[in-house]
Each structure stands twice: as structure tokens, then as C-alpha cells.
Amino acid sequence: MTRIRRRIGAEALALAVFAQPGSGARFDWGLTGAAELGRVCAALVVVDVLSFTTTVEVAVSRGMRVHPFPWGEQAADYARRVGAVAAVGRRQMTPEHPWSLSPAALRTAPVVSDLVLPSPNGSAISAAASATGLPVVAACLRNARAVGQWLCAEGYGSNDAPVGVVAAGERWPDGSLRPCVEDQLGAASVLDALSGVPGGLSVEAAMALAALASTPDVPAAVRGCVSGRELVESGFAADVEVAVQVDVSDVVPVLRQGYFVAG
């Protein structure tokens, strides 16, 4: 029995390390990283630059409530249940249904009160994080500084109320996480605005922030990275151009009661 207790205690201690204790701002990747930080942080920031959180910022700035939803056909059923419009994939967009994951298209689409916005990464992470009851903030390059300032003004960033910044990442064909340039730079931009928090940055957050210091032209880096080139070559260069606008928005989308609204 003593041996079992020691093993359980050692496992618990090892798991606690992954929460990056002793820091006010912490950083991790993907759904699993969000779940780990969600156990110990007082607020979570989700970053999915191309394109979920950029699209959320655009929609919320136009007065829409955005419901995150995992990628899949059930989004339309959920939208009908809550009286919302379901966004579709970029290629499924039509003149009659212009609401999609494309931030460029959503800038000119008719405003609806409630929009269900599915995506395989940022939206799935946001939907899962909402179950924690923590404030969940959608950040992108457009509003990174505003998000950091809002979190500081709300009192987050101490050891007692740490912030977890989650880069959503992309997916390889086998479904595994693919860390990506645009989300690391987006997360680093938020961490830059949090660099003065009383609890300081974890080592992981500081290393993520270092990527920003070594990137003299963030928009050019996002345009030239794999995800940016993929969108450009697929005919969605306008989405990249909306996403690479740095600190042009003061809108802070916060997930409350299942949907994002302005904080």
C-alpha cells in the first residue's frame, strides 16, 4: 500500500509540473494543452489566426454572437435548436448563404444575431473550454494587444489568477497536432501584452514570446508560412490579408453562456 501511495504521489507531482506552476501567464498547444491549463488557470485565451479567432473578432465587432462548435455536420442541427445561422466551409459558401469561416466574406455578409461557427481547431478548443466555466477569450493578431490589456484590467496574470494562452495549431492528415507559425506569433503577441503581469511568464510562455522578437515582419511571416500559402493558393488570399492586420481592433470576444460577445 505504501508503494502504491508513493507511485500515485509521484505521478501527481509529475502532472502538476505540466501546469507550469509559479507563473502568471502560461502557454501551451492544442486541445490537450487547453485542457491542462484549464485545470489550473483563471482564464484561457484561444488563438487560431487562420482563421477561427480572426473570424470571431470580425463577427463580434459587427455585433454578432458567435457560438463555437466542433467541426462536423451537427453544427446545422445545433444552429436550428438555438435559432442561429450556421456558418459553412469556405468552399460551401454561396451568395444565398455568405456566412462561413472566411473572415473576409464575413466582413460584408449580412449581420445576424447568432452565428454558429464550427472549425476543427480553435472552435473545438473553445467549445471544450467553455465547459470549465472559465472566461475564454478569442485572440488573433488584430486584437492581441487589446486582449492583453483587458486581461490585465480584469486582474488576471498573478500566481493566484494565472492566464493560459493556447495556440490552436493545425492538423496533419492523421489528425495529430501540427504546430504552426501563425498561431505561435498570435499567441506571442498576446503574451507580449502580458509580459508585465505580476506573476511573470512561464518558461514556455517566454520561449513562445521569443518567436515574436525574432520576427521583424509578422504579416510577411504569416503570408509566407505553410498555412498562409495554402490559403493564398486556394484562392483565399483576402482571408490572409484580414488576419495579418496587427492591433487594429479593440474588440475582446469573451465566451459567456456558450457564445462569444464583446468583453
Side-chain angles (χ1 to χ4, degrees):
M1 183 64 70
T2 300
R3 184 178 299 171
I4 292 174
R5 287 191 184 125
R6 286 175 179 169
R7 186 179 74 246
I8 293 173
E11 290 173 353
L13 180 61
L15 288 173
V17 171
F18 291 107
Q20 303 169 35
S23 54
R26 309 173 188 187
F27 170 77
D28 218 315
W29 283 95
L31 187 62
T32 303
E36 181 63 29
L37 293 184
R39 292 191 311 103
V40 295
C41 289
L44 291 177
V45 180
V46 178
V47 182
D48 185 352
V49 170
L50 295 174
S51 298
F52 173 74
T53 52
T54 298
T55 306
V56 170
E57 184 279 325
V58 168
V60 170
S61 71
R62 300 188 69 204
M64 302 186 215
R65 294 189 293 257
V66 179
H67 301 246
F69 200 84
W71 193 251
E73 297 178 358
Q74 297 83 4
D77 294 334
Y78 174 76
R80 282 191 288 270
R81 290 200 305 272
V82 300
V85 171
V88 296
R90 289 178 173 88
R91 297 188 185 280
Q92 286 71 51
M93 183 175 56
T94 65
E96 295 74 29
H97 195 99
W99 303 278
S100 79
L101 193 58
S102 163
L106 208 57
R107 293 178 85 178
T108 58
V111 172
V112 295
S113 59
D114 289 86
L115 182 71
V116 174
L117 188 63
S119 89
N121 301 305
S123 191
I125 292 169
S126 299
S130 69
T132 65
L134 300 176
V136 179
V137 182
C140 57
L141 291 172
R142 296 172 59 85
N143 69 345
R145 186 150 301 281
V147 166
Q149 291 172 346
W150 182 87
L151 289 164
C152 291
E154 293 291 312
Y156 298 111
S158 66
N159 289 331
D160 293 330
V163 178
V165 179
V166 180
E170 297 288 350
R171 296 283 176 181
W172 288 109
D174 66 0
S176 60
L177 173 70
R178 176 174 70 81
C180 56
V181 168
E182 69 275 13
D183 290 350
Q184 182 166 8
L185 290 173
S189 298
V190 175
L191 291 165
D192 185 42
L194 292 172
S195 58
V197 294
L201 305 184
S202 68
V203 171
E204 289 74 14
M207 293 304 296
L209 178 56
L212 188 64
S214 62
T215 307
D217 190 337
V218 169
V222 174
R223 291 187 190 101
C225 74
V226 169
S227 302
R229 290 167 58 191
E230 179 185 24
L231 281 176
V232 170
E233 293 171 10
S234 299
F236 299 105
D239 287 347
V240 179
E241 292 309 307
V242 174
V244 298
Q245 294 179 318
V246 176
D247 291 330
V248 297
S249 174
D250 292 328
V251 173
V252 179
V254 183
L255 189 60
R256 304 183 192 276
Q257 300 178 325
Y259 49 78
F260 284 103
V261 293

